[in-house]
Amino acid sequence: MDDHHDAEHETLSDVEADLADDFGEEGDTPLRQFVRSLRDLDEADVRAVGQYDGEAFELLYLREDIEDALGPDARTERVKTLVMKALGEPVNEPELDGYGDLNAVIRWFDEVVVAIYPHDEWSGAIATFDRANSPLVDLASKHLS
């Protein structure tokens, strides 16, 4: 697993600006569009955003209170677990071929929503959110639990 698990950016705006520098103003990548949309929604609800490629992972954003709550070892273990979960979700499943490609896997926990967005079999993005402002999750939990 890659050792790059400390977020380099303090805000999602910083992440978006860095992605613009990496890819140029004309290189409006899906990851950059995703980060911009997260920032436009409500940055306060976003806990972390990263991208993975194989077992390598780059933590693009980690909210300050989450960084303070998790030490480096705990953060590394959490990242490893999330990447392994992401790699365990096939983008194409022959049994569900009529559904099309897998676009996201959402995991609902009591306090956190984890979203995995695969790009292909080995790469994609992972974002975690506070569950407090997730109407879809709360509605489903209220009626299905």
Side-chain angles (χ1 to χ4, degrees):
M1 171 88 27
D2 193 330
D3 290 327
H4 191 52
H5 303 297
D6 291 325
E8 296 179 16
H9 308 94
E10 293 184 11
T11 69
L12 290 173
S13 296
D14 294 340
V15 174
E16 186 181 351
D18 194 37
L19 290 171
D21 289 344
D22 289 349
F23 296 103
E25 286 301 321
E26 295 176 20
D28 205 15
T29 66
L31 183 58
R32 184 172 171 215
Q33 293 170 359
F34 174 61
V35 168
R36 181 184 311 122
S37 296
L38 288 178
R39 181 177 50 80
D40 291 344
L41 279 174
D42 187 354
E43 186 165 327
D45 292 333
V46 181
R47 296 168 62 94
V49 178
Q51 60 183 352
Y52 64 94
D53 189 0
E55 292 185 10
F57 186 88
E58 182 179 9
L59 191 57
L60 300 170
Y61 169 78
L62 184 63
R63 200 172 67 203
E64 187 176 346
D65 63 316
I66 306 304
E67 186 171 7
D68 292 344
L70 290 175
D73 292 340
R75 192 165 42 248
T76 297
E77 287 306 310
R78 178 104 15 117
V79 165
K80 283 182 183 179
T81 299
L82 291 173
V83 171
M84 290 300 120
K85 295 289 185 191
L87 293 173
E89 295 289 347
V91 176
N92 298 303
E93 293 190 50
E95 299 82 15
L96 303 175
D97 198 32
Y99 290 178
D101 288 343
L102 178 68
N103 294 299
V105 174
I106 309 296
R107 294 176 171 270
W108 302 348
F109 295 92
D110 289 338
E111 303 297 324
V112 177
V113 175
V114 175
I116 300 169
Y117 307 96
H119 174 68
D120 58 30
E121 289 293 328
W122 303 107
S123 65
I126 300 172
T128 61
F129 308 90
D130 288 336
R131 183 172 150 182
N133 293 325
S134 299
L136 177 64
V137 174
D138 295 337
L139 184 64
S141 293
K142 177 181 176 181
H143 295 286
L144 301 176
S145 295

